């Protein structure tokens, strides 16, 4: 997605390969397969259709993954998927026409100047055949792509591989910009804390703990337009569920628009049903404020592929409103940065009005009680300046007056961090009777230096005027709070939201406060623990990489067949016992956890993960170390026992060879040479010369005089020859066998 600039004109798509190689739908390769999960039981089989971990056509909505939808972000904050959004691609419609163009076509979000369709990931785009375009279009695309490639190369040389999703804060600032930022007056903050807290804290769109649950629970499943067109064709095997590779739509069969519409509506229904789970999860842990994802119903406001919600999602949305009313929760929405009513382009205005109609219909179908229905507002930014603030304000006034009353009743304006300060918007809100949302983080970046100082202290003086814009319409006020990252210096860098916040702003204690942080509900938990807010004792730290509230498939160890045993009998020969048949593949069983308790944190409420420990949400990754030449692998216990047994056998074999060699090498008349006994207890000092062994002469006896010399020699060797088997057996019982001189022993005992 292109970065947000001071104007609403979007840059050329960031994917250079997509700009040069424009694949047709007929030659479009299937999306890349993702990591497949183990086989599920029938309880979870129905969820694979909308599970992005199983179905590669289901994507995570980029806006829901961000800390704030108005930030110019390139990637996802949670690293759920690495998806390239905003690439330009031409797709054939059913009649062969091209429904969108690279520049000036209908936006996929139907709100901006970006391209109509998100193409496949860049690694597949180069494999598709380019579409034949006019020479003018090709030259324009090439020139723009070359600029993008140059910018990308410069950026990639300075930045890490995986960028943070927010803004231009990742780009290096020049020295002058840094010096100007460092020389600005220090901010002046208020020391007031709104304690005891009586308001409601909330987060935006996505619960990180539920997103990594099994099955995942989130409300921003989306897809590409290519997936809608492809799913107009029936499956190759209609009797089997869809599969990423084995059972895909058959493009050789005729397409049906209703079938493709059912596909995208199914994603929307899955999103809406998960909101009920999210509300119950929030209530368990003391969170009563939630911003609904604008991507709950994909392409609902699109000019060509848009649709109404009441015909198929009315009952589901009414269920959401019923649960929110019973629990006392507040629900709001925040259309994206391209919903601009002050743009000079007619197409942008039409897209924005359609998007506001979609959000208004979504909130109206909740059918909440009157006060909660009034509190369900749509937060909007004024957008770009387009070179003239006064002219932009005039266009906004004109377009706002033409809106239906239902949209006017829900529309509120928020100060941004690029162009429009509180002092710019507050007079407009007072003039048109529009409530104003104060964003503290944005106010510290864009503010009127002639009126107030940076920080939270001076803005307090404007609270009466800001709160009065809400009271006129009898709507509960709300504010936004976030903090920049610690390393941010320049204004562009400070737009980047920190994962969590350290304190509460000096707002009224009964305020509804939206925490716009990347860690979503975890940032709310952090504030609860820091200031002991209501609900701080309802949750505990989760166990690293372990979750006991999921119905995961469990692998049972394969049963080993019994060993062959022979029956010992004197009368009959040994008969082997029949071997049991070998067990099949590992089985998968479903843990017995009620469906309403899945992902709820268990009885101990282990749902909090410390800052920076997001990997605790996922299982431990197996690290495979690469083998390098010369590295010795550690021995297992079995290998150690085997090596010891081999050492014993080799020692016994060596002793046998020595004894047999003595029998055959000496002549019959030879006199046995005594061997000196080894004394391992006395260690020879290093460097001292070896002492020659002193030969011990045998003591003569009367029996030796009467026995011939050859017989005496045989008698000397008879004793070791008789005990050789016993000595071998002893050597096999110990790995520390020693060579003993049997000749010397015999000589000493004989005398």
């Amino acid at each position: 997605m292109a970065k947000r600039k001071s104007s609403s004109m979007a840059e050329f798509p960031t994917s250079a390969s997509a700009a040069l190689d424009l694949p047709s739908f007929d030659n479009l390769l299937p999306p890349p397969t993702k990591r497949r999960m183990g086989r599920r039981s029938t309880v979870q089989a129905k969820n694979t259709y909308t599970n992005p971990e199983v179905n590669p056509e289901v994507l995570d909505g980029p806006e829901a993954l961000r800390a704030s939808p108005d930030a110019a972000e390139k990637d996802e904050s949670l690293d759920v998927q690495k998806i390239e959004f905003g690439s330009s691609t031409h797709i054939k419609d059913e009649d062969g026409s091209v429904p969108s163009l690279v520049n000036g076509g209908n936006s996929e979000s139907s709100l901006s100047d970006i391209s109509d369709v998100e193409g496949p990931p860049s690694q597949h785009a180069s494999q598709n055949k380019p579409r034949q375009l006019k020479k003018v279009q090709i030259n324009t695309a090439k020139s723009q792509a070359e600029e993008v490639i140059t910018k990308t190369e410069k950026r990639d040389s300075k930045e890490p591989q995986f960028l943070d999703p927010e803004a231009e804060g990742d780009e290096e600032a020049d020295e002058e910009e840094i010096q100007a930022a460092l020389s600005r007056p220090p901010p002046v903050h208020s020391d007031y804390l709104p304690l005891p807290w009586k308001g409601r804290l909330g987060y935006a769109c996505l619960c990180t703990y539920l997103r990594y649950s099994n099955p995942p629970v989130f409300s921003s499943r989306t897809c590409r337009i290519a997936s809608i067109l492809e799913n107009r064709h029936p499956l190759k095997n209609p009797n089997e569920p869809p599969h990423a590779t084995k059972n895909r739509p058959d493009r050789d069969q005729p397409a049906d628009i209703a079938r493709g519409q059912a596909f995208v509506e199914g994603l929307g229904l899955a999103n809406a049903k998960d909101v009920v789970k999210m509300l119950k999860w929030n209530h368990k842990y003391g969170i009563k404020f939630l911003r609904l994802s604008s991507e709950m119903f994909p392409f609902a406001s699109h000019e060509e592929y848009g649709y109404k919600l009441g015909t198929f999602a009315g009952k589901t949305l009414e269920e959401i409103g019923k649960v929110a009313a019973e629990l006392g929760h507040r629900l709001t929405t925040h259309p994206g940065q391209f919903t601009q009513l002050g743009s000079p382009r007619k197409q942008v205005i039409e897209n924005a009005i359609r998007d506001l109609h979609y959000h208004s219909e979504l909130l109206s179908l909740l059918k909440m009680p009157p006060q909660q229905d009034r509190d369900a507002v749509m937060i909007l930014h004024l957008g770009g300046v387009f070179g003239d603030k006064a002219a932009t304000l005039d266009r906004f006034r004109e377009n706002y007056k033409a809106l239906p009353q239902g949209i006017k009743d829900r529309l509120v304006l928020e100060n941004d961090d690029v162009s429009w300060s509180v002092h710019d918007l507050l007079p407009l809100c007072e003039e048109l009777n529009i409530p104003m949302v104060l964003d503290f983080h944005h106010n510290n970046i864009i503010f009127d230096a002639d009126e107030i100082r940076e920080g939270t202290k001076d803005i307090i003086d404007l609270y009466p005027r800001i709160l009065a814009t809400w009271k006129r319409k009898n709507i509960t006020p709300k504010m936004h709070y976030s903090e920049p990252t610690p390393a941010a210096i320049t204004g562009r860098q400070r737009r980047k939201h920190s994962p969590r916040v350290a304190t509460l702003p000096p707002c009224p204690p009964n305020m509804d406060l939206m925490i716009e942080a990347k860690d979503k509900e975890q940032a709310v938990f952090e504030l609860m623990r820091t200031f002991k807010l209501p609900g701080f004792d309802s949750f505990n730290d989760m166990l690293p990489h372990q979750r006991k509230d999921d119905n995961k498939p469990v692998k049972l160890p394969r049963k080993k067949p019994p060993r062959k045993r022979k029956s010992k009998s004197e009368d009959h020969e040994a008969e082997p016992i029949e071997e049991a048949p070998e067990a099949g593949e590992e089985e998968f069983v479903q843990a017995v956890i009620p469906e309403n308790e899945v992902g709820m944190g268990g009885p101990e409420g282990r749902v909090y993960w410390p800052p920076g420990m997001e990997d605790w949400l996922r299982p431990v990754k197996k690290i495979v170390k690469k083998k390098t030449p010369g590295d010795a692998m550690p021995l297992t216990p079995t290998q150690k026992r085997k090596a010891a047994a081999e050492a014993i056998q080799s020692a016994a074999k060596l002793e046998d060879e020595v004894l047999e060699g003595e029998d055959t090498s000496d002549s019959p008349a030879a006199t046995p040479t005594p061997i000196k006994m080894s004394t391992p207890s006395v260690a020879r000092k290093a460097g001292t010369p070896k002492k020659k062994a002193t030969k011990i002469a045998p003591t003569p006896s009367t029996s030796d005089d009467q026995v011939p010399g050859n017989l005496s020699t045989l008698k000397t060797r008879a004793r070791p020859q008789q005990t050789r088997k016993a000595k071998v057996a002893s050597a096999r019982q110990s790995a520390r066998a020693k060579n003993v001189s049997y000749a010397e022993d015999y000589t000493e005992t004989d005398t």
Side-chain angles (χ1 to χ4, degrees):
M1 184 175 291
K3 298 179 186 175
R4 180 181 58 175
K5 301 298 180 182
S6 299
S7 65
S8 65
M9 297 296 293
E11 289 185 343
F12 193 75
T14 56
S15 175
S17 61
L20 295 177
D21 298 332
L22 303 176
S24 65
F25 179 70
D26 295 333
N27 296 324
L28 191 65
L29 293 179
T33 57
K34 301 182 181 178
R35 177 179 60 85
R36 298 180 188 174
M37 306 176 70
R39 288 187 294 171
R40 299 287 189 267
S41 66
T42 56
V43 177
Q44 293 187 357
K46 60 182 181 181
N47 297 324
T48 60
Y49 175 75
T50 58
N51 189 344
E53 302 295 337
V54 179
N55 188 354
E57 294 182 355
V58 180
L59 311 177
D60 283 85
E63 288 190 6
L65 296 166
R66 302 170 181 166
S68 176
D70 56 286
E73 305 175 5
K74 309 171 194 173
D75 212 340
E76 303 91 318
S77 59
L78 295 176
D79 194 24
V80 177
Q81 306 169 17
K82 293 299 174 189
I83 304 170
E84 183 179 350
F85 289 92
S87 58
S88 295
T89 306
H90 284 292
I91 294 182
K92 283 185 179 180
D93 210 340
E94 299 302 332
D95 56 356
S97 62
V98 180
S100 60
L101 299 176
V102 174
N103 290 327
N106 300 328
S107 165
E108 183 168 342
S109 63
S110 70
L111 306 175
S112 65
D113 304 332
I114 60 175
S115 63
D116 223 359
V117 180
E118 293 174 316
S122 56
Q123 63 265 27
H124 295 292
S126 60
Q127 301 176 7
N128 297 318
K129 297 181 180 179
R131 175 175 292 277
Q132 299 296 330
L133 300 176
K134 295 180 180 180
K135 292 183 178 180
V136 177
Q137 292 176 324
I138 294 177
N139 294 335
T140 303
K142 285 185 177 180
S143 61
Q144 292 174 334
E146 289 174 358
E147 296 178 2
V148 172
I149 293 173
T150 305
K151 294 179 180 179
T152 303
E153 291 176 351
K154 292 181 179 179
R155 185 184 69 234
D156 292 342
S157 62
K158 300 177 182 179
E159 297 177 339
Q161 182 179 3
F162 297 105
L163 302 178
D164 194 89
E166 297 219 329
E168 301 132 3
D170 275 332
E171 296 183 353
E172 291 185 0
D174 53 28
E175 187 176 353
E176 295 181 0
E177 187 179 3
I178 294 176
Q179 291 298 329
L182 292 174
S183 62
R184 76 181 192 273
V188 182
H189 294 292
S190 172
D191 57 357
Y192 170 75
L193 286 175
L195 299 176
W197 179 256
K198 300 178 182 178
R200 292 177 288 193
L201 294 177
Y203 63 92
C205 305
L206 181 113
C207 176
T208 64
Y209 186 85
L210 289 177
R211 175 59 184 87
Y212 288 100
S213 181
N214 184 25
V217 177
F218 65 114
S219 61
S220 55
R221 298 170 181 84
T222 187
C223 64
R224 300 182 177 94
I225 288 182
S227 299
I228 300 177
L229 299 179
E230 185 178 22
N231 279 274
R232 291 179 177 179
H233 302 273
L235 295 175
K236 292 183 178 179
N237 189 353
N239 299 325
E240 296 292 334
H243 192 272
T245 56
K246 299 179 180 179
N247 194 20
R248 296 185 58 82
D250 189 358
R251 299 176 186 171
D252 295 334
Q253 300 186 32
D256 185 2
I257 296 178
R259 189 182 291 110
Q261 186 64 26
F263 166 75
V264 70
E265 289 178 357
L267 296 180
L269 284 175
N271 290 333
K273 291 177 181 178
D274 280 356
V275 173
V276 176
K277 181 88 169 188
M278 294 172 65
L279 291 175
K280 294 179 180 179
W281 192 94
N282 289 346
H283 190 75
K284 180 179 179 180
Y285 300 108
I287 302 176
K288 298 185 178 182
F289 188 12
L290 177 66
R291 177 186 297 165
L292 299 178
S293 173
S294 297
E295 297 160 318
M296 186 183 300
F297 295 94
F299 305 105
S301 62
H302 196 277
E303 182 179 10
E304 181 177 356
Y305 302 100
Y307 48 89
K308 294 294 182 180
L309 309 180
T311 56
F312 71 97
K315 293 183 179 180
T316 305
L317 292 174
E318 187 175 352
E319 177 66 19
I320 295 175
K322 180 180 178 181
V323 173
E326 292 175 353
L327 302 178
H329 289 208
R330 183 175 187 175
L331 303 177
T332 62
T333 60
H334 194 331
Q337 57 177 325
F338 297 112
T339 306
Q340 301 183 19
L341 293 176
S343 173
R345 295 189 58 191
K346 182 180 179 181
Q347 182 67 36
V348 175
I349 299 299
E350 293 176 354
N351 293 340
I353 293 175
R354 281 200 314 273
D355 195 57
L356 293 176
H357 274 284
Y358 154 65
H359 285 85
S360 178
E361 181 187 12
L362 190 155
L363 295 174
S364 298
L365 289 174
L366 298 177
K367 297 182 179 180
M368 293 185 291
Q371 185 58 50
Q372 286 181 289
D373 185 58
R374 285 193 297 269
D375 293 345
V377 296
M378 303 182 297
I379 301 97
L380 191 67
H381 288 283
L382 197 58
V385 177
F386 308 103
D388 190 344
K389 277 191 174 183
T392 302
L393 290 174
D394 291 338
R395 286 190 297 269
F396 179 86
R397 292 186 183 97
E398 180 182 355
N399 294 323
Y400 177 78
K401 292 178 181 178
L403 293 175
Q405 188 60 39
I407 295 179
K408 290 181 180 180
D409 293 340
R410 299 188 185 278
L411 192 64
V412 300
L413 288 179
E414 177 192 357
N415 60 307
D416 59 54
D417 56 359
V418 177
S419 305
W420 301 96
S421 67
V422 174
H423 287 85
D424 292 328
L425 296 183
L426 189 54
L428 179 67
C429 292
E430 293 172 336
E431 174 190 347
L432 300 178
N433 193 20
I434 301 175
M436 179 184 166
V437 177
L438 172 62
D439 189 303
F440 290 92
H441 176 60
H442 294 168
N443 182 68
N444 288 334
I445 300 174
I446 299 297
F447 59 93
D448 191 344
D450 297 334
E451 299 289 341
I452 60 175
R453 296 169 295 180
E454 178 184 345
T456 59
K457 185 175 179 60
D458 292 353
I459 195 64
I460 295 178
D461 297 336
L462 294 177
Y463 281 4
R465 293 177 59 186
I466 294 174
L467 296 178
T469 61
W470 295 88
K471 292 179 181 179
R472 292 191 189 101
K473 287 191 171 182
N474 194 21
I475 302 176
T476 304
K478 69 185 293 285
M479 294 182 178
H480 295 175
Y481 184 71
S482 56
E483 295 173 355
T485 56
I489 299 176
T490 66
R492 290 186 301 147
Q493 292 172 344
R494 287 189 292 132
R495 294 173 191 166
K496 181 178 175 181
H497 294 72
S498 63
R500 304 190 186 186
V501 295
T503 186
L504 288 167
C507 62
N510 59 347
M511 180 64 61
D512 286 347
L513 189 63
M514 176 60 63
I515 305 300
E516 294 184 327
K518 299 175 189 175
D519 288 350
K520 305 292 184 177
E521 83 288 350
Q522 301 297 321
V524 178
F525 288 160
E526 203 72 37
L527 285 176
M528 287 182 174
R529 281 193 169 182
T530 302
F531 298 102
K532 300 296 185 291
L533 303 183
F536 79 96
D537 55 351
S538 62
F539 55 89
N540 293 294
D541 291 12
M542 64 180 299
L543 300 175
H545 314 288
Q546 299 181 28
R547 301 179 68 150
K548 298 182 179 180
D549 58 354
D550 283 351
N551 281 332
K552 295 180 180 178
V554 180
K555 291 184 178 181
L556 296 179
R558 180 179 295 179
K559 296 181 180 179
K560 295 182 179 181
R563 296 181 179 179
K564 293 183 178 180
R565 294 177 296 176
K566 296 182 179 180
S567 58
K568 296 181 180 180
S569 175
E570 297 179 357
D571 301 333
H572 303 282
E573 296 181 357
E575 297 180 358
I577 299 176
E578 293 184 0
E579 184 180 357
E582 186 175 354
E585 297 182 356
E586 297 174 342
E587 299 178 359
F588 292 84
V589 298
Q590 188 75 17
V592 183
I593 298 179
E595 187 175 355
N596 59 343
E597 294 296 330
V598 173
M600 299 300 289
E604 298 177 344
R606 294 186 175 275
V607 295
Y608 171 84
W609 46 273
M613 297 292 107
E614 186 183 335
D615 60 324
W616 284 15
L617 295 169
R618 297 176 286 270
V620 180
K621 291 184 179 180
K622 294 182 179 180
I623 301 176
V624 180
K625 295 183 179 180
K626 295 183 179 180
K627 295 182 180 180
T628 56
D631 288 353
M633 296 296 292
L635 297 178
T636 62
T638 303
Q639 292 174 335
K640 291 179 181 180
R641 290 193 296 268
K642 185 177 180 181
E646 291 177 353
I648 294 173
Q649 294 178 0
S650 60
K653 183 178 181 181
L654 180 62
E655 185 177 358
D656 290 344
E657 293 176 354
V658 171
L659 295 176
E660 291 176 0
E662 290 179 356
D663 292 340
T664 57
S665 61
D666 295 341
S667 60
T671 305
T673 303
I675 302 174
K676 184 180 178 181
M677 294 289 292
S678 60
T679 56
S681 60
V682 181
R684 182 175 59 86
K685 294 183 179 180
T688 58
K690 280 186 177 181
K691 294 182 179 181
K692 293 184 179 180
T694 305
K695 295 183 179 180
I696 301 175
T699 304
S701 64
T702 54
S703 60
D704 289 340
D705 296 337
Q706 300 174 1
V707 179
N710 56 352
L711 186 59
S712 176
T713 304
L714 292 175
K715 186 178 181 181
T716 304
R717 297 181 179 176
R719 189 180 188 94
Q721 185 68 22
Q722 294 172 358
T723 61
R724 183 170 62 85
K725 292 183 179 180
K727 294 295 182 180
V728 171
S730 175
R732 290 176 180 174
Q733 295 176 1
S734 174
R736 295 176 294 180
K738 300 182 181 62
N739 293 328
V740 181
S741 175
Y742 299 103
E744 184 177 351
D745 293 343
Y746 176 77
T747 309
E748 292 176 355
T749 55
D750 237 12
T751 56

